[in-house]
Amino acid sequence: MKRNLYFFQVNYSYGKSAHLPYTAGQLCAYAFDDKDVSDNFTLENIFFLRDSVDNVLKKIENPSVVAFSTYIWNCNFNKEVARRIKELYPDCVIIFGGHHVAPGGGMLEECPYIDYLLHGEGEVIFRRLMRALIGLDKAEEIPGISFRTENGIITNPEMISSECDFPSPYLKGYFDDILKENPDTDFMALIETSRGCPNTCAYCDWSNMKSRIRKFPLERIYGEIEWLTKNKVYGLGAADSNFGMFERDEEITDKII
C-alpha cells in the first residue's frame, strides 16, 4: 500500500488571483520521476490556498509525509498546521524547506514537531530524503538537511548543485487538477530559464546558494510558455536572478510575446 504525501505552499490570495505552487510542483515532479518514489508514495494534494487550520485538517487522511515550502508570509501558518498534524498523526514525517528555513538546525530546537529541514535547492535532496524514508538512502549521507539523532541535531553541509534539467511540473500535469477545480481563479505562474547568480550581494538569498549559473533547456521553457498560454494563465513571473543576462533571453522574450 502506498504512503500518502501532502505538500503545502500556501500564499495569500489577491481577490480572484492566486499563485500556482511552483516550488511544490517542481520538487514533486523530480521526486516522482524516481520509480522507487512513485511506487511507494502517492501525492494526495498540494495545498496552495490559505484556509483555516481546522478546514485543512479535514482534508488530510492518514498522512505519511507532509512537506512545507516555507516563506515569511506562510511560516506561522505552516508551523501551526504541522504541529496539529503531528498531534493527530505522531508517526507522520514533517519536512520544512524554503527561504524562511535558516541555516543550521535551530528550527528543530524551536519546533519539536518538525523532523527534517532542507537547506538550499530542494529537488535532489527532497528526492533522496523520500528514498531514505523507505530505506533506499541514508539521511546521514544526504547533503543540505538537518535532522535529529541520538547524539543531537545534525546538519549536513549543503550541496553545490550542478543539475538543472529537471522535469517541468507544468508539463508533467501537476497543476492540471488545480486549474480544473478553480475555474474562476486568475492564476499567476513562475518559470525559471536559469538558476544561480554571478553576484554575491549580501542582501540577497542568491548569494547563499553557492551554485554556478545553469540554464534550463529551451525545449522545457518554450513548452511551459505554450502550456501557460493554452491554459490562459493570467500572469507570468520569472524566478531567475537576472533575466536578460544571456543572449538567448531575447529569444525567450520573443516567445513570451
Side-chain angles (χ1 to χ4, degrees):
M1 183 175 179
K2 290 188 178 184
R3 309 179 189 187
N4 293 337
L5 166 67
Y6 292 86
F7 216 117
F8 282 81
Q9 187 183 345
V10 172
N11 291 292
Y12 282 108
S13 58
Y14 305 92
K16 289 179 57 181
S17 298
H19 286 82
L20 287 169
Y22 174 75
T23 299
Q26 177 76 10
L27 266 61
C28 289
Y30 187 67
F32 281 89
D33 204 40
D34 182 289
K35 187 176 186 301
D36 292 316
V37 174
S38 62
D39 284 348
N40 285 278
F41 292 95
T42 298
L43 177 61
E44 288 292 327
N45 196 2
I46 298 177
F47 291 92
F48 71 100
L49 293 175
R50 189 173 293 264
D51 200 350
S52 72
V53 175
D54 288 338
N55 285 342
V56 168
L57 294 175
K58 292 175 184 177
K59 301 175 183 177
I60 294 177
E61 183 177 352
N62 193 27
S64 177
V65 181
V66 181
F68 294 84
S69 181
T70 308
Y71 298 82
I72 190 170
W73 53 81
N74 65 19
C75 185
N76 289 337
F77 175 86
N78 285 353
K79 287 179 178 179
E80 181 61 15
V81 172
R83 185 186 67 80
R84 296 277 299 278
I85 289 174
K86 200 69 167 182
E87 287 179 352
L88 293 170
Y89 306 96
D91 295 330
C92 177
V93 176
I94 303 294
I95 302 170
F96 268 53
H99 286 280
H100 208 63
V101 174
M107 202 173 197
L108 294 179
E109 297 178 357
E110 173 195 348
C111 307
Y113 45 83
I114 300 176
D115 297 295
Y116 294 94
L117 302 176
L118 274 57
H119 308 287
E121 295 185 37
E123 289 92 348
V124 174
I125 57 179
F126 180 69
R127 177 199 270 190
R128 289 190 61 182
L129 181 53
M130 295 293 286
R131 289 176 55 83
L133 296 178
I134 51 177
L136 298 178
D137 211 328
K138 297 180 179 179
E140 296 82 1
E141 299 175 356
I142 301 175
I145 68 169
S146 296
F147 59 100
R148 296 181 186 86
T149 70
E150 294 179 355
N151 298 318
I153 294 172
I154 290 178
T155 298
N156 292 339
E158 287 190 32
M159 175 185 64
I160 300 177
S161 183
S162 60
E163 294 191 47
C164 203
D165 192 6
F166 301 119
S168 165
Y170 300 104
L171 304 181
K172 287 289 186 177
Y174 281 86
F175 303 138
D176 290 357
D177 287 343
I178 289 177
L179 293 179
K180 291 176 184 177
E181 293 166 4
N182 299 273
D184 296 326
T185 300
D186 293 330
F187 279 105
M188 308 288 289
L190 287 175
I191 62 170
E192 291 181 276
T193 72
S194 67
R195 188 179 291 183
C197 184
N199 305 310
T200 55
C201 304
Y203 59 82
C204 181
D205 283 338
W206 281 111
S207 64
N208 295 321
M209 300 292 278
K210 300 182 179 65
S211 63
R212 66 181 180 84
I213 301 173
R214 293 148 286 149
K215 299 177 183 177
F216 281 83
L218 280 175
E219 180 181 3
R220 167 185 160 139
I221 297 166
Y222 288 174
E224 289 182 336
I225 293 169
E226 291 171 1
W227 185 94
L228 297 170
T229 302
K230 176 183 176 182
N231 288 281
K232 297 181 172 59
V233 171
Y234 177 73
L236 173 64
D240 298 27
S241 64
N242 294 278
F243 184 75
M245 187 162 43
F246 303 109
E247 289 187 11
R248 73 170 194 165
D249 292 347
E250 292 188 18
E251 301 173 18
I252 295 171
T253 302
D254 289 338
K255 178 68 174 179
I256 293 171
I257 294 169

